[in-house]
Amino acid sequence: MSSMDCPDTAKTCDVLSPSDSRKVCQCSTDVLCNADEGTSDRVCSIPDAVCIPRCTADEACGEGQRCDTASGHCKVRGDTGAACTGEGQSNCDYGTHFCNSNVCTPLWEPGCPNYTNFPNKDMLGTTGPILYAARRVSVSTDTVLCGTATPKLVKVAFSAYSSVPFPMTKGDLNGFFRVLVAGTVREGTQDVRGADYTVTGDNRERAELIVSLCTEATATTLSTAYYFTGGNFLCFQANF
């Protein structure tokens, strides 16, 4: 079989698998699958590159998959309770879930005063970089960085995932903001030292940003919140 033997609905001739040299006509787009039909009833299967009927319900898909009715493709489940591996987005639904202990879990709902008092909620969304976790890193006294009025230095690490690669350096990072308890917005990258910004993942899809915050010497708690433009709002209460 050669490419000349493949119909217009399957432009590519390729082997079935690395271990099976038999050849099959493969599609590359949904449009090709419907070229001879004049309809949109067929799609080009993502894993197999062959034309198949559009799915209209989850029942048409295999185990661990669900039907994306907008595209007609069966996709790996990424909703609440779906299996996942690793951290960040994994195969979980972008902008609404993250992979937590091998299970797709909804992102944290913001309930802090920082969010209640935040006036620019229209800047948030589910398509920008997503903050999915936060943890206290350390608490120390640093009068050089924080001064004598607010000498206690609290470091908090925020983890994020993105559909586009994060920049390699903090200086190229844009759209990251801190929200104070009163709802006041400040540039967030000024809280991150150069060495406290790290990027991971084959496509630089994950980042950790460790923010350095100063508070009074007698303080035992600190409420903070951050967001990326077009992303979610993540509150964090550091107790120490």
Side-chain angles (χ1 to χ4, degrees):
M1 177 182 286
S2 69
S3 59
M4 296 295 293
D5 299 311
C6 287
D8 289 341
T9 54
K11 294 292 187 181
T12 305
C13 179
D14 204 355
V15 295
L16 281 171
S17 70
S19 60
D20 191 334
S21 61
R22 290 178 299 171
K23 293 188 175 182
V24 64
C25 295
Q26 293 184 325
C27 57
S28 57
T29 68
D30 293 350
V31 174
L32 282 175
C33 290
N34 294 284
D36 296 336
E37 305 294 332
T39 67
S40 58
D41 295 336
R42 297 172 69 79
V43 295
C44 184
S45 169
I46 294 173
D48 303 316
V50 294
C51 295
I52 60 173
R54 292 175 62 94
C55 70
T56 57
D58 292 345
E59 290 74 18
C61 302
E63 184 178 355
Q65 295 184 320
R66 63 175 178 168
C67 179
D68 179 358
T69 55
S71 67
H73 283 271
C74 290
K75 296 183 177 180
V76 176
R77 282 188 56 209
D79 55 340
T80 302
C84 59
T85 58
E87 59 180 309
Q89 182 193 2
S90 184
N91 57 274
C92 303
D93 291 344
Y94 190 96
T96 59
H97 291 73
F98 72 106
C99 189
N100 182 27
S101 300
N102 296 324
V103 176
C104 289
T105 305
L107 294 170
W108 310 103
E109 290 288 342
C112 56
N114 312 56
Y115 179 74
T116 302
N117 298 325
F118 177 52
N120 303 324
K121 294 182 177 66
D122 58 336
M123 298 296 293
L124 306 175
T126 58
T127 59
I130 300 299
L131 294 165
Y132 64 90
R135 61 183 175 85
R136 193 192 74 189
V137 175
S138 63
V139 179
S140 62
T141 299
D142 191 330
T143 55
V144 175
L145 180 66
C146 295
T148 56
T150 55
K152 186 172 288 187
L153 174 63
V154 182
K155 287 194 170 188
V156 178
F158 284 84
S159 299
Y161 68 72
S162 177
S163 58
V164 297
F166 280 103
M168 292 295 295
T169 63
K170 186 204 77 169
D172 295 323
L173 184 68
N174 297 308
F176 181 60
F177 299 97
R178 178 187 178 191
V179 181
L180 306 183
V181 173
T184 307
V185 179
R186 294 178 48 181
E187 172 61 46
T189 53
Q190 67 183 7
D191 299 331
V192 184
R193 294 180 175 181
D196 288 339
Y197 171 75
T198 56
V199 176
T200 57
D202 293 338
N203 298 309
R204 305 204 310 270
E205 68 271 18
R206 293 188 304 277
E208 182 177 75
L209 304 94
I210 300 178
V211 299
S212 295
L213 307 173
C214 300
T215 189
E216 296 82 4
T218 57
T220 58
T221 186
L222 185 148
S223 178
T224 190
Y226 287 83
Y227 73 94
F228 279 99
T229 301
N232 63 321
F233 191 103
L234 185 59
C235 305
F236 184 74
Q237 184 83 19
N239 299 311
F240 39 86

